[in-house]
Amino acid sequence: MNKKKMIILAGAIVVLIMASLGASSAFELFGTDFFGATTDFDNNFMSGTFSGNTVQNEIDDEGPAKGWTDSYEDKEHNITYNMSCVKDGDFITDLYQLQGLGQPEVRNYNDQPWKIFYSQAVPDSNMTDDKADNKTNNTINVYICEADVNGTTYTINVMAYDNKTECDGTLFCPLYKDYIQPLIKSVEFKDSKKAPKMAELLNMSDEEFEFNREYINGIFNGTIDPSTLQQ
C-alpha cells in the first residue's frame, strides 16, 4: 500500500471513530487535545472563557465588595485570575503608578480599550544564594488588565507562579498570547449599576475620595509636586 493510500485510510479511520464516539471522545482516545482545554466562567459582573482547566476559588468577603470580586486558578499552569468590578477602580492603578508601576500598553478587543500593566513580585525576600541558583524561578509575573466602562472599572489581575508558562513581560510571550489575550477577547461585561464605589472599599467619604483623586490627577498633570507625598 503506497503512502498516499495509507494517509487516506488513516483519515477515514479518524472520521469513523469521530462519527461513532463524537469529536471530543475521538481526540481523547488518541491522547491529543487538538483544540486545547477551555473553561467557561460566569459571575455577577462578567463572563468569558479561560484557556486551560480552571477552578473557582472561594472568597471570604462580607464587605461591600461581596459579589463583585471573583477568583479562579489554573493549577496545571500555576496561573491565578483575580477579578473585580468597582466604580472608579482605576484609582488603584493610578496609585500603583505613583509607586513605580510602569505605563500600560493599550489594546482594543471587541471595540473596548484595555489597559495592560505588567509587574513582578517575589514572595520570599529572604531567599538564600542556594535557592537563587535553583532552576525554580520564584518570581511571580503579574499582568493587570483594566477596562473602564462609563466610570466603572473591570479588572482582571493575572498572577503566574514558578515559571510554569514562559513570560518576558511583553504582550507577545506565551503567558499573554496563549492565556491572557484569549481570555480578554472572550469577556462580556454585565450591568454594573450596583457595583460598589472605590470610596466605600477604602472607607472614605465621597468628598475624601474626590480630594485624593484630584491630588493624584494633579501629580500626573504636573500641577502638584510628587515630593510632597514624602512630607
Side-chain angles (χ1 to χ4, degrees):
M1 185 178 295
N2 62 38
K3 184 176 181 180
K4 182 177 180 180
K5 288 182 178 179
M6 288 182 67
I7 293 174
I8 293 173
L9 178 59
I13 292 173
V14 170
V15 170
L16 288 172
I17 293 174
M18 289 178 65
S20 60
L21 299 179
S24 60
S25 297
F27 289 128
E28 184 179 345
L29 179 64
F30 283 105
T32 304
D33 188 352
F34 286 89
F35 303 110
T38 59
T39 308
D40 294 333
F41 73 93
D42 189 359
N43 56 42
N44 284 347
F45 49 92
M46 69 170 73
S47 62
T49 303
F50 296 107
S51 298
N53 293 308
T54 65
V55 294
Q56 188 171 11
N57 293 321
E58 289 188 16
I59 298 178
D60 185 13
D61 190 350
E62 297 298 327
K66 183 178 181 180
W68 297 96
T69 59
D70 214 348
S71 179
Y72 302 85
E73 187 174 0
D74 179 343
K75 294 183 179 180
E76 179 183 357
H77 301 100
N78 286 359
I79 304 173
T80 299
Y81 304 89
N82 294 322
M83 304 179 180
S84 64
C85 177
V86 182
K87 294 175 182 175
D88 296 311
D90 58 332
F91 179 80
I92 294 299
T93 45
D94 287 348
L95 280 179
Y96 287 163
Q97 284 188 268
L98 290 183
Q99 296 172 352
L101 181 67
Q103 289 291 322
E105 299 273 0
V106 178
R107 294 290 185 271
N108 281 279
Y109 300 116
N110 302 322
D111 297 322
Q112 171 61 49
W114 285 81
K115 291 185 286 187
I116 314 295
F117 300 87
Y118 173 76
S119 187
Q120 288 185 329
V122 179
D124 185 2
S125 59
N126 297 317
M127 190 189 309
T128 64
D129 290 339
D130 289 340
K131 289 182 180 179
D133 291 337
N134 192 288
K135 290 184 180 180
T136 299
N137 187 347
N138 286 331
T139 299
I140 301 173
N141 291 299
V142 181
Y143 284 87
I144 303 173
C145 310
E146 182 181 283
D148 298 309
V149 183
N150 299 323
T152 299
T153 304
Y154 296 81
T155 304
I156 302 175
N157 191 321
V158 183
M159 296 181 293
Y161 301 81
D162 294 335
N163 207 25
K164 277 289 188 74
T165 306
E166 184 182 341
C167 176
D168 60 9
T170 70
L171 305 191
F172 307 100
C173 65
L175 176 59
Y176 186 84
K177 288 181 63 179
D178 297 342
Y179 294 92
I180 300 174
Q181 182 173 266
L183 169 61
I184 297 175
K185 285 183 175 181
S186 76
V187 163
E188 293 187 11
F189 302 112
K190 296 185 180 182
D191 181 23
S192 61
K193 290 186 179 66
K194 296 182 180 180
K197 297 179 180 179
M198 181 54 66
E200 293 179 79
L201 301 186
L202 297 176
N203 198 27
M204 293 181 180
S205 67
D206 290 342
E207 292 76 15
E208 288 173 326
F209 179 79
E210 285 305 317
F211 176 84
N212 283 278
R213 165 71 86 182
E214 291 175 9
Y215 192 85
I216 290 175
N217 289 342
I219 293 175
F220 281 133
N221 62 34
T223 60
I224 293 178
D225 183 354
S227 64
T228 58
L229 287 173
Q230 306 299 323
Q231 299 176 5

